[in-house]
Amino acid sequence: FDGVRRGAGGDWRGAAWALGGGQVRYSVPEEAKAGTVVGRLAQDLGLEAGEPEARRLRLVAQGRRASVEVSGASGALVVSSRLDREELCGKSAPCALRLEVLVERPLRVFHVELEVTDINDNAPLFPAARKNLSLAEFTTLPGSRFPLEGASDADVGANAQLSYTLSPSEHFSLDWQKTEEDSESLFLVLRRPLDRETMPEHRLVLTASDGGRPSLTGTMELVISVLDVNDNAPQFNQSVYKVQLLESAAEGTLVARVNATDPDLGMYGEVIYEIDTVLPPSASDMFSIDTNSGEIRLTGAVDFETVTFYKLHIKAKDKGSPPLSGHCKVLVEVLDVNDNAPEVWVTSLSVPVPEDAAVGTVVALLSVSDRDSGANGRVRCAVWPAAPFGLVATFAGSYSLVLREALDRERVSEYEVEVRAEDGGAPALRASRGVRVPVSDVNDNAPAFAQAVYTVLARENNAAGAELARLAWAGARWRAGGWRAASSYVSVDAESGRLWALQPLDYEEVQVLQFEVRAVDAGEPPLCGNATVQLFVVDENDNAPALLPAAGGGPGGQVVAKIRAVDADSGYNAWLRYELWEPRGKGPFRVGLYSGEVSTARALEEADGPRQRLVIVVRDHGEPARSATATLSVSLVEGGGAAAAAAAAATNVWLVVAICAVSSLFLLAVVLYGASRWAPRAAVLSGPGPATLVCASEVGSWSYSQRQSRSLCVAEGTGKSDLMVFSPNFPPPPGPAAKETEVM
């Protein structure tokens, strides 16, 4: 659509259409009243009713006042303050304002071009309200032309198209022409010779009318004085001088040198230069001319971004009375230099950025501009550091700061990003803008224990509630501890990770507990970490030896009896030794230190009496040692001879065989009982139990666990060993620790 549509109720509604890249264009006439609807922005952007306010539809300022705003409720683009096209754009046409419109959830940017159309609100304006001309009588021939300064109109287009009229006069007429080099040429033409004696002064009114509807006018009074005598005016060697001037030119720089000659002689041929007028009028004090040499110099600072073109009307007059004058124009074109650094604005910032944000997420919107023109105004942008963010050009001078790589808050929690802009000048000018981008945390790290497997050694008979170990995990974000309790033996504190005993541990009941501990954080969804705890119960010497029924003995020099005892402990705590406590001294009997065999130490005599009472102490190797006492009564019987001895020997052999068989069956029953008892416990180490090797020698019988990965060797006659020794896995017999046995 082109043009402007006027809606009902005096609202101006500009035509709107998409130009690509999310751009919408409107037009509105200047001086529109505040509140005037420019366009239904929300509707043109495709937003539904209620979305403009919910998604915070709004304009983003870019350095200068836009004079329009977005109505929050309706989403319409309305005039907020006075729109003056001449103030916004000067003589530039068309006058287009580039606006950025943002909506959130999701964040999007739309580009709106608002064209402010001209209305005829400025009347033509002459450089001066009055112009004086001096013309000699008779010597000024009919047809002579005298240049006049035309009027200027701040409007554009048809509103700035000027036409001129001169008040009626029989001596003068107006000649108005348009040229390619100069927009217009205006001359006052003498139609009839002047006679000072008849009319020494002529007053005329020059009127300029623009092309607006209705038309506006401006006037200038021409005061023409008729002079006498001097009949030759100075003439310039050029009617138009064209000059190019760098905007960086210093004060005093030579702009141009004009030259005019007068054919008259004497003082009538001496030429004096002066600047008649300067356009724009605001630059009247920026140039000076040497009255004698015609050198024009710069007396102020020029700025390409403010004024790009100056027009100077130069007058050369002689010293006649009255003086005659000639005129020329000096056109000064200001050339741009790279004197403006780029400017960077952050128009929108969406922080903090979650660490799981997808690649391509828009973090910030930026605008970049440079007041220079051409290559000096072309800006290149880059972001430093180059990762993990990058710049994407979305529109002329507009960029999006987007995510290029995945973020990890645990590695970098905040980024200081610098957006650098550099123009194409030589040398190039640079600018930068820092953007702080914090990274917000998401739950992407599970709790991690310091160890995958914890091995804990705990002595048996510990107190209930005693701390056994502390389990540590990395990271402080957790919600609760998940763990599978090892039966009713231990518990884990979910707050501190403290492993404590629920009841005293008994090595004879359980040797190993294995369970899993889980730490769960407070994230959504929660993450967890696991660790395995292996708790080994260390044996204490808390069981005294228990005596078994003694085996019967034989004749002199042979084994009389054998004391048997077991200890429920293991290792050194279960290694037993036998000592003859009574009678002391050299009696007829002795006891094997580790075998418990009671044998005759010498031949029995009548003096030894018919009955002997032996007190035998059984001790373990624990610290402190525990003991049990057995009393053995030996009765001496006469007779029997060799036959009795032979019978006794045979009986002893079968007795040993029977004892071994019964012991093996008993040991097998105990192993099966232990397996059936431990198998249901979830916290006890699962799988088959450790193999147990049973060894026998002259120093006794014991078992040891292959879990210790040690070899057990017992030499004949060895009295002690430094190896870890364990007792057989069967319970002690019932009854008191001290037992009396009678052997016949």
Side-chain angles (χ1 to χ4, degrees):
F1 302 98
D2 291 318
V4 177
R5 299 179 294 169
R6 187 177 181 90
D11 289 346
W12 289 92
R13 298 176 184 171
W17 63 95
L19 298 181
Q23 183 179 1
V24 178
R25 182 177 178 183
Y26 297 104
S27 61
V28 63
E30 64 173 329
E31 303 299 338
K33 295 181 180 180
T36 299
V37 177
V38 177
R40 305 300 181 187
L41 179 59
Q43 180 179 346
D44 293 336
L45 294 180
L47 300 181
E48 300 294 337
E51 278 193 289
E53 190 168 9
R55 296 182 62 185
R56 296 188 61 200
L57 178 66
R58 65 187 186 279
L59 286 179
V60 178
Q62 292 192 2
R64 62 179 178 178
R65 181 172 57 86
S67 300
V68 293
E69 63 183 9
V70 176
S71 174
S74 65
L77 187 66
V78 299
V79 176
S80 61
S81 59
R82 180 174 178 261
L83 278 171
D84 187 350
R85 193 204 66 81
E86 288 74 27
E87 178 183 348
L88 294 173
C89 301
K91 295 290 289 183
S92 299
C95 180
L97 304 180
R98 290 190 309 163
L99 308 175
E100 287 187 354
V101 178
L102 296 180
V103 292
E104 297 180 354
R105 297 189 297 275
L107 179 65
R108 291 192 61 190
V109 59
F110 298 91
H111 299 278
V112 177
E113 184 174 302
L114 177 62
E115 181 182 358
V116 181
T117 58
D118 186 45
I119 65 173
N120 193 27
D121 60 339
N122 291 282
L125 180 65
F126 285 93
R130 177 176 176 176
K131 183 172 180 61
N132 296 317
L133 296 175
S134 297
L135 303 179
E137 63 175 349
F138 298 115
T139 57
T140 304
L141 301 177
S144 297
R145 299 160 64 87
F146 305 95
L148 299 176
E149 295 80 5
S152 61
D153 195 321
D155 296 323
V156 295
N159 295 329
Q161 298 295 323
L162 302 181
S163 60
Y164 298 89
T165 58
L166 187 66
S167 58
S169 172
E170 62 182 38
H171 291 89
F172 297 94
S173 64
L174 189 65
D175 184 14
W176 175 55
Q177 299 178 357
K178 281 187 172 292
T179 62
E180 294 181 358
E181 295 180 350
D182 193 5
S183 59
E184 60 187 14
S185 296
L186 192 62
F187 296 94
L188 183 67
V189 181
L190 181 64
R191 298 171 59 190
R192 296 177 58 182
L194 298 176
D195 185 0
R196 189 188 64 81
E197 287 71 20
T198 303
M199 185 180 291
E201 186 178 84
H202 296 263
R203 291 184 175 269
L204 304 175
V205 176
L206 178 61
T207 302
S209 302
D210 61 25
R213 294 291 183 273
S215 176
L216 300 179
T217 61
T219 61
M220 179 175 66
E221 183 182 21
L222 300 178
V223 179
I224 305 167
S225 300
V226 181
L227 305 178
D228 213 358
V229 183
N230 194 13
D231 58 344
N232 287 294
Q235 295 293 321
F236 285 92
N237 57 356
Q238 292 178 231
S239 61
V240 177
Y241 292 81
K242 294 183 178 180
V243 179
Q244 290 182 331
L245 182 66
L246 293 175
E247 69 170 326
S248 60
E251 186 175 340
T253 299
L254 178 64
V255 178
R257 180 183 285 108
V258 297
N259 183 46
T261 59
D262 193 326
D264 293 331
L265 298 176
M267 61 181 304
Y268 297 123
E270 294 178 9
V271 178
I272 300 174
Y273 300 95
E274 67 180 39
I275 297 176
D276 199 4
T277 58
V278 178
L279 292 177
S282 59
S284 59
D285 57 349
M286 294 186 61
F287 301 92
S288 65
I289 189 169
D290 188 290
T291 57
N292 296 317
S293 65
E295 291 182 351
I296 301 174
R297 294 189 178 274
L298 190 64
T299 58
V302 294
D303 186 1
F304 176 86
E305 286 71 34
T306 303
V307 180
T308 61
F309 191 84
Y310 296 90
K311 182 191 293 185
L312 284 69
H313 290 271
I314 308 301
K315 181 186 353 182
K317 62 182 180 180
D318 59 21
K319 295 183 179 180
S321 182
L324 300 180
S325 61
H327 300 81
C328 74
K329 287 182 288 186
V330 178
L331 305 180
V332 181
E333 180 185 3
V334 180
L335 300 180
D336 184 42
V337 297
N338 193 27
D339 61 342
N340 291 282
E343 296 179 273
V344 181
W345 298 285
V346 178
T347 57
S348 181
L349 185 61
S350 181
V351 293
V353 180
E355 65 176 327
D356 62 346
V359 173
T361 298
V362 177
V363 177
L365 300 177
L366 305 105
S367 294
V368 180
S369 65
D370 193 312
R371 296 183 62 203
D372 295 320
S373 62
N376 297 331
R378 287 194 290 270
V379 181
R380 299 184 301 272
C381 288
V383 63
W384 186 92
F389 301 97
L391 285 179
V392 175
T394 57
F395 194 69
S398 298
Y399 294 87
S400 294
L401 182 65
V402 300
L403 188 62
R404 293 290 195 196
E405 298 176 6
L407 300 176
D408 185 1
R409 191 201 65 82
E410 286 69 28
R411 185 172 60 88
V412 181
S413 61
E414 185 176 280
Y415 290 88
E416 290 292 340
V417 180
E418 186 179 46
V419 179
R420 298 175 176 177
E422 179 183 277
D423 62 24
L429 298 180
R430 300 172 180 83
S432 64
R433 176 76 65 176
V435 180
R436 187 178 68 87
V437 183
V439 181
S440 60
D441 187 40
V442 297
N443 191 30
D444 59 342
N445 290 282
F449 283 87
Q451 301 172 219
V453 177
Y454 288 86
T455 300
V456 180
L457 299 179
R459 291 188 176 275
E460 66 173 330
N461 301 320
N462 58 287
E467 181 177 323
L468 304 179
R470 283 186 182 268
L471 311 180
W473 50 80
R477 307 184 317 278
W478 54 275
R479 181 176 59 196
W483 58 281
R484 297 196 296 271
S487 185
S488 59
Y489 296 101
V490 295
S491 180
V492 176
D493 187 276
E495 298 293 331
S496 64
R498 185 172 66 95
L499 178 66
W500 52 282
L502 294 175
Q503 64 181 20
L505 299 175
D506 187 355
Y507 176 85
E508 288 69 42
E509 180 181 352
V510 61
Q511 288 80 41
V512 180
L513 295 176
Q514 178 171 299
F515 54 92
E516 182 183 75
V517 177
R518 176 177 301 162
V520 182
D521 64 20
E524 289 296 336
L527 301 179
C528 66
N530 300 325
T532 299
V533 179
Q534 294 178 342
L535 175 63
F536 292 90
V537 182
V538 179
D539 184 43
E540 291 283 346
N541 189 23
D542 59 344
N543 291 282
L547 294 169
L548 299 175
Q558 299 296 322
V559 174
V560 177
K562 185 171 184 177
I563 304 302
R564 294 181 300 164
V566 295
D567 195 313
D569 295 322
S570 63
Y572 280 104
N573 297 331
W575 188 14
L576 305 180
R577 62 184 178 184
Y578 302 85
E579 299 174 5
L580 182 59
W581 190 256
E582 292 181 4
R584 302 289 182 113
K586 296 182 179 180
F589 298 98
R590 62 186 175 189
V591 177
L593 181 60
Y594 296 107
S595 64
E597 292 180 347
V598 180
S599 62
T600 57
R602 57 179 173 80
L604 300 175
E605 301 174 356
E606 291 183 3
D608 293 327
R611 191 177 188 87
Q612 294 287 329
R613 181 176 179 271
L614 306 180
V615 178
I616 300 171
V617 177
V618 183
R619 301 181 187 273
D620 59 25
H621 284 73
E623 291 293 339
R626 294 179 179 270
S627 64
T629 303
T631 302
L632 179 65
S633 296
V634 181
S635 299
L636 302 180
V637 180
E638 294 183 358
T651 303
N652 286 340
V653 171
W654 287 107
L655 180 60
V656 171
V657 172
I659 290 173
C660 291
V662 172
S663 299
S664 300
L665 292 174
F666 185 75
L667 178 61
L668 178 61
V670 170
V671 172
L672 294 177
Y673 172 77
S676 63
R677 179 181 179 185
W678 294 338
R681 298 181 182 271
V684 178
L685 185 61
S686 62
T692 302
L693 178 63
V694 179
C695 300
S697 74
E698 292 184 357
V699 298
S701 299
W702 65 91
S703 65
Y704 75 97
S705 172
Q706 290 180 340
R707 187 188 309 279
Q708 301 298 324
S709 300
R710 296 182 181 178
S711 299
L712 180 63
C713 298
V714 180
E716 183 175 349
T718 302
K720 70 184 285 190
S721 172
D722 58 355
L723 300 179
M724 182 64 72
V725 183
F726 297 84
S727 66
N729 294 321
F730 54 82
K739 182 175 182 181
E740 182 173 337
T741 304
E742 182 174 351
V743 178
M744 298 300 291

